[in-house]
Amino acid sequence: MEKQEVLTDLDVASTSSTTKSVMKKLPEVTLAFWIMKVAATTLGETAGDLFAQTLKLGYFLTTIALFLIFVVTLVVQLRSSRYNPFFYWTVILSTSMAGTTMSDFMNRDASAKFLSNGAKSLGWGPQGLGLGYPTGAAILISILLAIFLAWKLSGMTFQIRDIVTFRGEALFWSAILVSNTLGTSMGDFLSDSSGLGYLGGALLVTGVLAVLVALMKVPAVPNVLLFWIAFVLTRPLGATAGDFLTKPAAKGGLDLGTAGSSAVLLAVLFGLMAYAQVQERRTAVPTS
């Protein structure tokens, strides 16, 4: 029971001199949380590709625009005094969209390997750094480890339930942005370079996540560590699922298109957010 509270009890923290209740800023990590996370990251993949590829804005311009959207949504979340499902999941979505194009800009370029139908360029500005998925993933892993090191040196706990300060939440969202970008690189590698294809990559990540669930029963494995591994891995699950929905049938996808897939996923995510908002209001009302 104590291990489970590490992941779900997010609304209580202790001060140095007194113990008091603190308005929680983050949701409880339940099955509904992970369903919404996968929905948001899948939408992040399809929406990022919609702007960068389908609308041909390119990775450079789309990354700048989506990063600015991330900053705006993050400011709204940080200024909120308590957990609001729409604020929180909008930031998750914006990190997923920005992470998609940031990863693509790092890993891809204007070569025929990444551009189809004889296209020579994709939007205005630099076409991409062309680092490749392994190099891009290595850089992002290094950045994520640096964030966790800074987090450790700050003296603040990694337990999600204790993130109640501005500095702690800033570190949390920095890790979220980088982990979603890293997850995109991992998902694209599984889909494009591993030989598994979109569906095979999604099934592999699902299998690893099932192992993490089993490890929650092992006392020696901290649930905080499992949370962050799962948080990173749900992004490549969303990336491979998004590619499976949108890519042409010749490449192993369902060819549903980025616009249609994004619209359906957006409706699903907003429905889940509305449900979470109703549940949050119910729990906030004191019972007599």
Side-chain angles (χ1 to χ4, degrees):
M1 180 64 68
E2 183 178 352
K3 283 171 65 61
Q4 182 69 16
E5 290 177 354
V6 172
L7 292 179
T8 59
D9 186 9
L10 306 181
D11 56 347
V12 177
S14 297
T15 61
S16 57
S17 56
T18 61
T19 301
K20 62 180 182 180
S21 176
V22 179
M23 286 291 189
K24 66 176 184 176
K25 296 290 296 295
L26 304 176
E28 293 185 358
V29 183
T30 61
L31 178 60
F33 171 91
W34 292 113
I35 293 174
M36 294 179 72
K37 172 63 164 59
V38 173
T41 53
T42 305
L43 176 57
E45 178 72 17
T46 60
D49 288 346
L50 170 64
F51 292 120
Q53 300 177 25
T54 305
L55 299 180
K56 299 187 183 303
L57 296 178
Y59 302 129
F60 182 69
L61 284 180
T62 306
T63 294
I64 293 175
L66 293 180
F67 186 82
L68 291 176
I69 291 175
F70 158 68
V71 172
V72 172
T73 59
L74 179 60
V75 169
V76 173
Q77 165 68 18
L78 292 175
R79 290 177 62 86
S80 176
S81 60
R82 60 170 298 146
Y83 169 60
N84 182 302
F86 283 97
F87 295 166
Y88 176 86
W89 289 105
T90 301
V91 185
I92 293 292
L93 176 59
S94 65
T95 61
S96 298
M97 292 191 300
T100 295
T101 54
M102 288 168 62
S103 170
D104 289 344
F105 181 74
M106 290 178 61
N107 300 327
R108 301 179 179 183
D109 53 29
S111 63
K113 178 181 179 181
F114 301 112
L115 297 180
S116 59
N117 301 323
K120 299 298 183 182
S121 64
L122 187 62
W124 180 87
Q127 299 298 303
L129 302 178
L131 299 177
Y133 300 129
T135 301
I139 293 173
L140 291 167
I141 290 173
S142 299
I143 296 174
L144 187 59
L145 290 176
I147 292 173
F148 283 130
L149 177 60
W151 197 336
K152 178 68 175 178
L153 294 177
S154 71
M156 292 181 288
T157 178
F158 286 105
Q159 292 183 356
I160 311 305
R161 65 181 179 183
D162 294 332
I163 300 178
V164 293
T165 65
F166 178 87
R167 184 172 59 167
E169 201 174 356
L171 286 168
F172 173 79
W173 287 113
S174 298
I176 295 300
L177 177 62
V178 177
S179 68
N180 277 334
T181 308
L182 170 61
T184 303
S185 294
M186 295 170 62
D188 287 342
F189 172 77
L190 290 175
S191 298
D192 300 338
S193 304
S194 68
L196 294 174
Y198 307 124
L199 185 58
L203 291 175
L204 174 62
V205 177
T206 301
V208 176
L209 289 172
V211 173
L212 295 180
V213 172
L215 287 175
M216 290 181 62
K217 305 298 183 181
V218 180
V221 182
N223 270 356
V224 171
L225 175 62
L226 295 177
F227 170 85
W228 281 107
I229 296 175
F231 205 97
V232 172
L233 288 179
T234 48
R235 183 61 185 96
L237 177 60
T240 51
D243 285 340
F244 179 65
L245 292 173
T246 60
K247 298 303 182 183
K251 293 185 176 181
L254 296 179
D255 200 16
L256 299 179
T258 55
S261 298
S262 297
V264 172
L265 289 167
L266 183 62
V268 171
L269 182 60
F270 266 84
L272 292 170
M273 290 163 63
Y275 176 78
Q277 184 70 41
V278 171
Q279 292 298 104
E280 185 65 22
R281 288 178 178 177
R282 286 179 178 175
T283 58
V285 176
T287 57
S288 56

